[in-house]
Amino acid sequence: MSDLVIASQLDATFNQALRERLATLHPGIKVIEVPVGVPSDLPPEARILMGRPINVRGYQAPDTPPPGWPYGLRWIQLASSGIDFYPAWLFDGLPVTTARGSASDPIAEFALAAIFARNKHLPDIWVTDADWQFTALTPVKGQTLGIVGFGSIGTALAHKAQALGLRVVALRQSDTPFGVDGVEAARDIHHLFAESDHLVVAAPLTPDTRHLINADVLASAKPGLHLINIARGGLLDQEALLNALDHGPLGFASLDVTEPEPLPEGHRLYSHPKVRLSPHTSAISTRGGEAIADILLDNLQRFLTDQPLHNLADRTRGY
Ligand SMILES: NC(=O)c1ccc[n+]([C@@H]2O[C@H](COP(=O)([O-])OP(=O)(O)OC[C@H]3O[C@@H](n4cnc5c(N)ncnc54)[C@H](OP(=O)(O)O)[C@@H]3O)[C@@H](O)[C@H]2O)c1
């Protein structure tokens, strides 16, 4: 295949590493760099778009595609797992695949880091002088971890959590078995919140899941529950969260995602003593580019041999 061109919105380092891998696997396939944002005026020879999130940091793409869309494209591979950061028209017609799975282990590790930080009082426990105070730290082993959304991230997290001796209770959208021995199914989201010491949100943001975690659900929480959101800010009603932290029953929240992003200066979540915020960073890893390229190259092989693509996005379902 010598006339195939991938138009990439990813950075120069990713594109160069991809070219080097393609040189061995598929010599002749070219990678060209195109601007981020709405993919516009793509050269007609570009068959594949390696796309990155569009509707981020306050930007909202127009409701209609740019003139000439979809140019010569045959397939779009996204660099993200969620599909909520893209305009609807991107999914009309061409197959669109996601990077689902590329960051599941790093995100699961990040959720566990939040659990350890909470139980072991990190970073407050570190000393910088001779005034040593002793604090009893809470064992993670024997606690219950709730997981909302049991896809790629939920599965990776459940394996690691069970290895640490956590009991895992979970909830997913469908009746599909969890596929991880020992994971218990919650009756419903209220039951899940009532059972959990730590609860990780790992579901997609869709019209159905917006504010899935609202005042009503938070009122069901086990007293002291630690809520960890590594999915999307819009799944959580932030005002209801603040109220549940101030007046009970919630004990703590570790939020890697918020709505909007970033939160405006002075927002209460920045300074709340029971909140730890991180800047949507749980998926960003030193091996992230390689993992995304793995998915692109696996799908490229499928594309070239007319096999079904992996991780096809389902716009109607929302993930
Ligand atoms: N922080 C980040 O940078 C970052 C990175 C990657 C992903 N994410 C977010 O995390 C989400 C999950 O990622 P993933 O890779 O694990 O996705 P995934 O493999 O597609 O899994 C999504 C899971 O959510 C479940 N679900 C859907 N609607 C639900 C509902 N109403 N209640 C309970 N569960 C529901 C699905 O259930 P079924 O399997 O039964 O359909 C599925 O198990 C993504 O959509 C994305 O928004 C964030």
Side-chain angles (χ1 to χ4, degrees):
M1 174 79 48
S2 58
D3 57 351
L4 201 142
V5 172
I6 301 173
S8 173
Q9 294 187 313
L10 274 65
D11 63 31
T13 307
F14 174 91
N15 295 334
Q16 189 49 33
L18 180 61
R19 283 183 195 108
E20 284 164 19
R21 291 178 71 177
L22 283 169
T24 318
L25 295 168
H26 301 288
I29 295 186
K30 283 205 320 194
V31 179
I32 59 168
E33 288 177 28
V34 296
V36 297
V38 172
S40 307
D41 297 324
L42 295 181
E45 65 274 19
R47 293 283 172 273
I48 300 165
L49 174 68
M50 180 73 231
R52 62 189 302 161
I54 298 172
N55 293 337
V56 284
R57 299 198 167 233
Y59 180 78
Q60 195 68 29
D63 290 341
T64 51
W69 175 261
Y71 313 108
L73 293 176
R74 299 280 184 278
W75 156 45
I76 301 171
Q77 171 67 52
L78 302 178
S80 64
S81 305
I83 61 171
D84 51 308
F85 287 149
Y86 304 88
W89 50 259
L90 198 84
F91 302 86
D92 288 345
L94 297 176
V96 181
T97 53
T98 73
R100 175 181 179 270
S102 61
S104 299
D105 283 319
I107 294 172
E109 289 173 6
F110 192 88
L112 290 170
I115 290 172
F116 278 104
R118 170 74 178 140
N119 281 26
K120 307 303 177 188
H121 295 247
L122 300 171
D124 310 334
I125 203 79
W126 310 130
V127 290
T128 52
D129 58 33
D131 179 20
W132 290 14
Q133 308 292 326
F134 299 103
T135 308
L137 305 179
T138 309
V140 168
K141 183 177 177 180
Q143 288 194 312
T144 297
L145 170 65
I147 305 178
V148 184
F150 205 83
S152 180
I153 296 170
T155 302
L157 178 58
H159 281 295
K160 296 179 202 308
Q162 286 185 334
L164 293 165
L166 281 148
R167 171 187 171 227
V168 178
V169 185
L171 193 66
R172 69 189 305 165
Q173 167 77 358
S174 67
D175 295 333
T176 311
F178 291 126
V180 181
D181 285 347
V183 173
E184 298 168 40
R187 262 200 318 275
D188 56 36
I189 197 162
H190 294 277
H191 174 239
L192 186 68
F193 271 69
E195 288 279 305
S196 303
D197 297 296
H198 306 271
L199 190 137
V200 173
V201 186
L205 179 61
T206 70
D208 285 345
T209 63
R210 173 163 290 283
H211 289 193
L212 176 72
I213 299 156
N214 52 30
D216 204 27
V217 169
L218 291 169
S220 305
K222 182 173 180 174
L225 179 142
H226 174 205
L227 182 70
I228 303 162
N229 191 0
I230 46 72
R232 290 288 186 266
L235 286 151
L236 175 63
D237 179 340
Q238 289 172 176
E239 283 309 308
L241 171 74
L242 284 164
N243 191 51
L245 288 166
D246 287 339
H247 305 293
L250 241 61
F252 206 80
S254 299
L255 308 177
D256 189 47
V257 287
T258 61
E259 195 173 73
E261 291 185 358
L263 289 171
E265 286 299 343
H267 193 285
R268 273 191 75 203
L269 285 171
Y270 282 121
S271 55
H272 197 288
K274 295 181 179 174
V275 175
R276 231 172 239 138
L277 277 185
S278 49
H280 203 137
T281 201
S282 64
I284 300 172
S285 96
T286 48
R287 293 193 217 138
E290 193 184 332
I292 292 169
D294 286 346
I295 288 177
L296 170 68
L297 290 171
D298 173 60
N299 265 337
L300 179 63
Q301 182 59 30
R302 293 168 170 277
F303 177 79
L304 295 173
T305 54
D306 284 329
Q307 302 295 310
L309 299 174
H310 275 157
N311 284 358
L312 272 172
D314 180 339
R315 184 68 198 179
T316 314
R317 198 177 64 153
Y319 57 102

